[in-house]
PDB file of all heavy atoms in Angstrom:
ATOM      1  N   ILE O  59      48.802 -13.434 170.845  1.00 47.00           N
ATOM      2  CA  ILE O  59      50.284 -13.470 170.802  1.00 47.00           C
ATOM      3  C   ILE O  59      50.741 -13.355 169.447  1.00 47.00           C
ATOM      4  O   ILE O  59      50.128 -13.795 168.527  1.00 47.00           O
ATOM      5  CB  ILE O  59      50.871 -14.667 171.514  1.00 47.00           C
ATOM      6  CG1 ILE O  59      52.346 -14.574 171.683  1.00 47.00           C
ATOM      7  CG2 ILE O  59      50.616 -15.830 170.744  1.00 47.00           C
ATOM      8  CD1 ILE O  59      52.890 -15.627 172.726  1.00 47.00           C
ATOM      9  N   ASP O  60      51.886 -12.625 169.165  1.00 47.00           N
ATOM     10  CA  ASP O  60      52.562 -12.595 167.890  1.00 47.00           C
ATOM     11  C   ASP O  60      53.805 -13.350 168.127  1.00 47.00           C
ATOM     12  O   ASP O  60      54.656 -12.996 168.733  1.00 47.00           O
ATOM     13  CB  ASP O  60      52.806 -11.163 167.559  1.00 47.00           C
ATOM     14  CG  ASP O  60      53.446 -11.184 166.131  1.00 47.00           C
ATOM     15  OD1 ASP O  60      53.742 -12.201 165.640  1.00 47.00           O
ATOM     16  OD2 ASP O  60      53.717 -10.010 165.594  1.00 47.00           O
ATOM     17  N   HIS O  61      53.946 -14.588 167.402  1.00 47.00           N
ATOM     18  CA  HIS O  61      55.050 -15.434 167.665  1.00 47.00           C
ATOM     19  C   HIS O  61      56.334 -14.955 166.856  1.00 47.00           C
ATOM     20  O   HIS O  61      57.288 -15.648 166.877  1.00 47.00           O
ATOM     21  CB  HIS O  61      54.751 -16.865 167.259  1.00 47.00           C
ATOM     22  CG  HIS O  61      54.013 -17.592 168.361  1.00 47.00           C
ATOM     23  ND1 HIS O  61      53.327 -18.662 168.130  1.00 47.00           N
ATOM     24  CD2 HIS O  61      53.962 -17.316 169.652  1.00 47.00           C
ATOM     25  CE1 HIS O  61      52.785 -19.103 169.354  1.00 47.00           C
ATOM     26  NE2 HIS O  61      53.211 -18.344 170.222  1.00 47.00           N
ATOM     27  N   ALA O  62      56.153 -13.693 166.179  1.00 44.00           N
ATOM     28  CA  ALA O  62      57.417 -13.128 165.637  1.00 44.00           C
ATOM     29  C   ALA O  62      58.262 -12.671 166.734  1.00 44.00           C
ATOM     30  O   ALA O  62      59.476 -12.471 166.583  1.00 44.00           O
ATOM     31  CB  ALA O  62      56.954 -12.047 164.717  1.00 44.00           C
ATOM     32  N   ALA O  63      57.695 -12.356 167.849  1.00 46.00           N
ATOM     33  CA  ALA O  63      58.547 -11.925 168.991  1.00 46.00           C
ATOM     34  C   ALA O  63      59.550 -13.102 169.363  1.00 46.00           C
ATOM     35  O   ALA O  63      59.218 -14.334 169.446  1.00 46.00           O
ATOM     36  CB  ALA O  63      57.644 -11.655 170.222  1.00 46.00           C
ATOM     37  N   ASP O  64      60.713 -12.681 169.701  1.00 50.00           N
ATOM     38  CA  ASP O  64      61.810 -13.642 170.226  1.00 50.00           C
ATOM     39  C   ASP O  64      61.525 -14.127 171.505  1.00 50.00           C
ATOM     40  O   ASP O  64      61.244 -13.265 172.453  1.00 50.00           O
ATOM     41  CB  ASP O  64      63.282 -12.900 170.015  1.00 50.00           C
ATOM     42  CG  ASP O  64      64.324 -13.951 170.105  1.00 50.00           C
ATOM     43  OD1 ASP O  64      64.284 -14.855 170.949  1.00 50.00           O
ATOM     44  OD2 ASP O  64      65.175 -13.767 169.310  1.00 50.00           O
ATOM     45  N   ILE O  65      61.625 -15.433 171.662  1.00 49.00           N
ATOM     46  CA  ILE O  65      61.350 -15.927 173.041  1.00 49.00           C
ATOM     47  C   ILE O  65      62.386 -15.441 173.992  1.00 49.00           C
ATOM     48  O   ILE O  65      61.927 -15.413 175.246  1.00 49.00           O
ATOM     49  CB  ILE O  65      61.480 -17.529 172.969  1.00 49.00           C
ATOM     50  CG1 ILE O  65      60.917 -18.128 174.270  1.00 49.00           C
ATOM     51  CG2 ILE O  65      62.902 -17.994 172.646  1.00 49.00           C
ATOM     52  CD1 ILE O  65      60.775 -19.668 174.156  1.00 49.00           C
ATOM     53  N   ARG O  66      63.370 -15.008 173.599  1.00 54.00           N
ATOM     54  CA  ARG O  66      64.507 -14.490 174.609  1.00 54.00           C
ATOM     55  C   ARG O  66      64.111 -13.084 175.242  1.00 54.00           C
ATOM     56  O   ARG O  66      64.619 -12.629 176.129  1.00 54.00           O
ATOM     57  CB  ARG O  66      65.783 -14.273 173.880  1.00 54.00           C
ATOM     58  CG  ARG O  66      66.497 -15.563 173.469  1.00 54.00           C
ATOM     59  CD  ARG O  66      67.697 -15.284 172.585  1.00 54.00           C
ATOM     60  NE  ARG O  66      67.329 -14.755 171.363  1.00 54.00           N
ATOM     61  CZ  ARG O  66      68.164 -14.364 170.401  1.00 54.00           C
ATOM     62  NH1 ARG O  66      69.358 -14.757 170.524  1.00 54.00           N
ATOM     63  NH2 ARG O  66      67.763 -13.791 169.299  1.00 54.00           N
ATOM     64  N   ASP O  67      63.069 -12.549 174.549  1.00 54.00           N
ATOM     65  CA  ASP O  67      62.638 -11.135 175.063  1.00 54.00           C
ATOM     66  C   ASP O  67      61.526 -11.085 176.035  1.00 54.00           C
ATOM     67  O   ASP O  67      61.218 -10.086 176.495  1.00 54.00           O
ATOM     68  CB  ASP O  67      62.112 -10.258 173.736  1.00 54.00           C
ATOM     69  CG  ASP O  67      63.120 -10.147 172.746  1.00 54.00           C
ATOM     70  OD1 ASP O  67      64.278 -10.038 173.005  1.00 54.00           O
ATOM     71  OD2 ASP O  67      62.740  -9.923 171.566  1.00 54.00           O
ATOM     72  N   VAL O  68      61.019 -12.349 176.386  1.00 65.00           N
ATOM     73  CA  VAL O  68      60.026 -12.463 177.409  1.00 65.00           C
ATOM     74  C   VAL O  68      60.452 -13.499 178.465  1.00 65.00           C
ATOM     75  O   VAL O  68      61.191 -14.342 178.254  1.00 65.00           O
ATOM     76  CB  VAL O  68      58.626 -12.784 176.812  1.00 65.00           C
ATOM     77  CG1 VAL O  68      58.232 -11.633 175.892  1.00 65.00           C
ATOM     78  CG2 VAL O  68      58.728 -14.101 176.017  1.00 65.00           C
ATOM     79  N   TYR O  69      59.799 -13.443 179.577  1.00 81.00           N
ATOM     80  CA  TYR O  69      59.960 -14.426 180.675  1.00 81.00           C
ATOM     81  C   TYR O  69      59.308 -15.710 180.257  1.00 81.00           C
ATOM     82  O   TYR O  69      58.144 -15.651 180.068  1.00 81.00           O
ATOM     83  CB  TYR O  69      59.538 -13.973 182.064  1.00 81.00           C
ATOM     84  CG  TYR O  69      59.651 -15.144 183.009  1.00 81.00           C
ATOM     85  CD1 TYR O  69      60.918 -15.462 183.485  1.00 81.00           C
ATOM     86  CD2 TYR O  69      58.501 -15.824 183.481  1.00 81.00           C
ATOM     87  CE1 TYR O  69      61.061 -16.630 184.377  1.00 81.00           C
ATOM     88  CE2 TYR O  69      58.666 -16.904 184.348  1.00 81.00           C
ATOM     89  CZ  TYR O  69      59.868 -17.220 184.690  1.00 81.00           C
ATOM     90  OH  TYR O  69      59.915 -18.260 185.646  1.00 81.00           O
ATOM     91  N   VAL O  70      60.002 -16.771 180.298  1.00 91.00           N
ATOM     92  CA  VAL O  70      59.450 -18.174 180.079  1.00 91.00           C
ATOM     93  C   VAL O  70      60.189 -19.048 181.047  1.00 91.00           C
ATOM     94  O   VAL O  70      61.437 -19.024 181.106  1.00 91.00           O
ATOM     95  CB  VAL O  70      59.582 -18.642 178.538  1.00 91.00           C
ATOM     96  CG1 VAL O  70      59.134 -20.014 178.470  1.00 91.00           C
ATOM     97  CG2 VAL O  70      58.884 -17.635 177.684  1.00 91.00           C
ATOM     98  N   PRO O  71      59.592 -19.826 181.761  1.00 94.00           N
ATOM     99  CA  PRO O  71      60.200 -20.796 182.659  1.00 94.00           C
ATOM    100  C   PRO O  71      61.248 -21.674 181.931  1.00 94.00           C
ATOM    101  O   PRO O  71      61.153 -22.011 180.771  1.00 94.00           O
ATOM    102  CB  PRO O  71      59.006 -21.647 183.183  1.00 94.00           C
ATOM    103  CG  PRO O  71      57.750 -20.870 183.046  1.00 94.00           C
ATOM    104  CD  PRO O  71      58.018 -19.884 181.917  1.00 94.00           C
ATOM    105  N   ALA O  72      62.304 -21.992 182.677  1.00 96.00           N
ATOM    106  CA  ALA O  72      63.413 -22.691 181.984  1.00 96.00           C
ATOM    107  C   ALA O  72      63.023 -23.991 181.291  1.00 96.00           C
ATOM    108  O   ALA O  72      63.454 -24.429 180.417  1.00 96.00           O
ATOM    109  CB  ALA O  72      64.546 -22.952 183.003  1.00 96.00           C
ATOM    110  N   SER O  73      62.053 -24.657 182.076  1.00 97.00           N
ATOM    111  CA  SER O  73      61.575 -26.015 181.497  1.00 97.00           C
ATOM    112  C   SER O  73      60.870 -25.900 180.193  1.00 97.00           C
ATOM    113  O   SER O  73      61.000 -26.649 179.324  1.00 97.00           O
ATOM    114  CB  SER O  73      60.667 -26.698 182.629  1.00 97.00           C
ATOM    115  OG  SER O  73      59.490 -25.998 182.766  1.00 97.00           O
ATOM    116  N   ALA O  74      60.025 -24.790 180.157  1.00 96.00           N
ATOM    117  CA  ALA O  74      59.349 -24.491 178.914  1.00 96.00           C
ATOM    118  C   ALA O  74      60.374 -24.179 177.701  1.00 96.00           C
ATOM    119  O   ALA O  74      60.208 -24.597 176.603  1.00 96.00           O
ATOM    120  CB  ALA O  74      58.351 -23.439 179.079  1.00 96.00           C
ATOM    121  N   ARG O  75      61.322 -23.352 178.030  1.00 95.00           N
ATOM    122  CA  ARG O  75      62.326 -22.925 176.998  1.00 95.00           C
ATOM    123  C   ARG O  75      63.061 -24.246 176.541  1.00 95.00           C
ATOM    124  O   ARG O  75      63.300 -24.428 175.312  1.00 95.00           O
ATOM    125  CB  ARG O  75      63.360 -21.982 177.699  1.00 95.00           C
ATOM    126  CG  ARG O  75      62.906 -20.548 177.909  1.00 95.00           C
ATOM    127  CD  ARG O  75      63.956 -19.817 178.610  1.00 95.00           C
ATOM    128  NE  ARG O  75      63.518 -18.428 178.875  1.00 95.00           N
ATOM    129  CZ  ARG O  75      63.527 -17.402 178.001  1.00 95.00           C
ATOM    130  NH1 ARG O  75      64.177 -17.633 176.926  1.00 95.00           N
ATOM    131  NH2 ARG O  75      63.123 -16.256 178.502  1.00 95.00           N
ATOM    132  N   ALA O  76      63.390 -25.073 177.407  1.00 97.00           N
ATOM    133  CA  ALA O  76      64.151 -26.291 177.058  1.00 97.00           C
ATOM    134  C   ALA O  76      63.256 -27.216 176.189  1.00 97.00           C
ATOM    135  O   ALA O  76      63.639 -27.821 175.273  1.00 97.00           O
ATOM    136  CB  ALA O  76      64.574 -27.002 178.338  1.00 97.00           C
ATOM    137  N   ALA O  77      61.948 -27.319 176.645  1.00 97.00           N
ATOM    138  CA  ALA O  77      61.044 -28.121 175.862  1.00 97.00           C
ATOM    139  C   ALA O  77      60.905 -27.617 174.452  1.00 97.00           C
ATOM    140  O   ALA O  77      60.930 -28.381 173.368  1.00 97.00           O
ATOM    141  CB  ALA O  77      59.663 -28.266 176.536  1.00 97.00           C
ATOM    142  N   VAL O  78      60.696 -26.313 174.155  1.00 96.00           N
ATOM    143  CA  VAL O  78      60.576 -25.792 172.843  1.00 96.00           C
ATOM    144  C   VAL O  78      61.790 -25.961 172.044  1.00 96.00           C
ATOM    145  O   VAL O  78      61.764 -26.370 170.921  1.00 96.00           O
ATOM    146  CB  VAL O  78      60.249 -24.226 172.961  1.00 96.00           C
ATOM    147  CG1 VAL O  78      60.285 -23.612 171.572  1.00 96.00           C
ATOM    148  CG2 VAL O  78      58.770 -24.072 173.601  1.00 96.00           C
TER     149      VAL O  78
END
Side-chain angles (χ1 to χ4, degrees):
I59 189 168
D60 181 355
H61 277 159
D64 194 309
I65 191 172
R66 293 171 299 182
D67 297 335
V68 295
Y69 171 73
V70 175
S73 64
R75 289 177 182 269
V78 171

